[in-house]
Amino acid sequence: MSSKELADETILAGGLGFMDDSYRGVIPGVYPSTTYERAEDNSYPSGKIYTRDHNPNYQQPEAVLAALEHGEQAMLFSSGMAAATSVIMALKPGDHIVVPKVIYWSFRNWLQTYASDWGIETTFVDNGDLSELKAAIKPGKTKLLWLETPANPTWVVDDIAAWADIAREVGARLAVDNTVATPLLCNPLDLGADIVMHSATKYLNGHSDVLAGALVTKVVDDHWHRMANIRASGGAVLGPFEAWLLMRGMRTLAVRVKQASNNALAFAKAIETHPKIHAVMYPGLESSAGHRIAKKQMKGAYGGMLSIRVRGGESAAIACAAKLAIFKRATSLGGIESLVEHRASVEGEGTPCPADLLRLSIGIEDVNDLINDMKQALEGS
Ligand SMILES: *Cc1c(COP(=O)(O)O)cnc(C)c1O
């Protein structure tokens, strides 16, 4: 059976049937060798030469990711940022990109500082505003539109298909950061995007113990070859053990995403009306601004990320985080354990993030324990 006929759960659990060839072990081994021997005839029988260009431990997770995202090929990177910045570095000086204002904070900072230094110009537009996007296009110069949805940390939802239509009209590519939705809940390539990016550090690995990134392409083209070259010659490659660990984490992606999504929805509903809560930002809530588009482009669930705004402003939000016992006060997201973070403290000056906002990464614990933890923190702070 080709992977096109298999459900995501089956692709992940079985890992597309990769095995250890030496011993028929059902789990492939870790290949730490940095270099590969030539045959007497001077050829490379395995096709492998040096590990910065290829490592056998990339093959399985890349094949699985390409299958899940319905793309032609996938590429692992040493981090999500390495993957994202490679998409931009594959452009040329003078090229222009359009990006929404609310996106992953470090990437926004990088675009504002480094990309502009190298002659790649960025226009930031309001999330959800297609007329502003159209007005930002510079005909002949705009080569890339970048989207992250649901977007960190307010979880606003942008319409991938509408952005893809505009990208096509102006001859630009659309890249989508699909870290938060995961391929289980959204497939941007099916909606018209050209490239999908993941911080594999988050849900794909899912255990808060590997830093990794990935790109998936709809078609292998010139831009993809440039990004592959940037990875191999720039050297932002993942180590073999990290690639192996990532694959082990990915095997349970489907059950983790299901549990985290169910938990997040139940949690959002349970605390939405709490007197100390000013707002719950979660695209799964019918009352949320992004729900209509999320329902259209996501696959029946809305992921494990949400934010709350605590009545009483910044100090009340920080006091609430301090009282939480099950949620750990830490950055990052997409792990099995629930995390809480006061984002404005991290993002600092210029952040579009409200001061009373706490970002919650809902894990796979029992949801009633999480709800009770939040209630005692709100009431005791
Ligand atoms: C974490 C994250 C990134 C950056 O990934 P790293 O693996 O930390 O480099 C990019 N986008 C989103 C949405 C993220 O959550």
Side-chain angles (χ1 to χ4, degrees), residues 147-295:
L147 206 54
E148 174 186 321
T149 182
N152 214 332
T154 57
W155 318 114
V156 287
V157 180
D158 279 282
D159 190 331
I160 298 172
W163 276 63
D165 284 346
I166 294 168
R168 221 178 355 258
E169 269 166 40
V170 302
R173 288 186 174 82
L174 174 63
V176 178
D177 181 341
N178 200 29
T179 298
V180 167
T182 82
L184 273 300
L185 302 182
C186 184
N187 290 124
L189 300 183
D190 293 349
L191 299 165
D194 302 285
I195 301 162
V196 165
M197 174 252 150
H198 282 280
S199 168
T201 313
K202 314 296 168 55
Y203 287 99
L204 295 182
N205 179 62
H207 294 74
S208 306
D209 54 10
V210 172
L211 184 76
L215 297 175
V216 187
T217 190
K218 178 104 187 157
V219 293
V220 172
D221 58 7
D222 177 53
H223 190 245
W224 184 253
H225 289 306
R226 283 175 67 85
M227 294 189 290
N229 238 331
I230 286 166
R231 178 179 77 165
S233 44
V237 291
L238 196 62
F241 185 56
E242 283 73 17
W244 184 91
L245 268 179
L246 169 62
M247 189 60 235
R248 184 173 73 170
M250 274 169 55
R251 296 244 179 182
T252 56
L253 177 66
V255 284
R256 288 186 284 101
V257 168
K258 199 171 288 175
Q259 172 85 351
S261 294
N262 289 343
N263 278 358
L265 183 60
F267 183 93
K269 285 182 174 164
I271 62 153
E272 197 184 8
T273 53
H274 193 284
K276 294 224 168 149
I277 292 286
H278 169 54
V280 175
M281 300 151 113
Y282 183 60
L285 288 177
E286 279 168 34
S287 57
S288 88
H291 183 71
R292 188 184 54 81
I293 299 168
K295 195 169 175 181

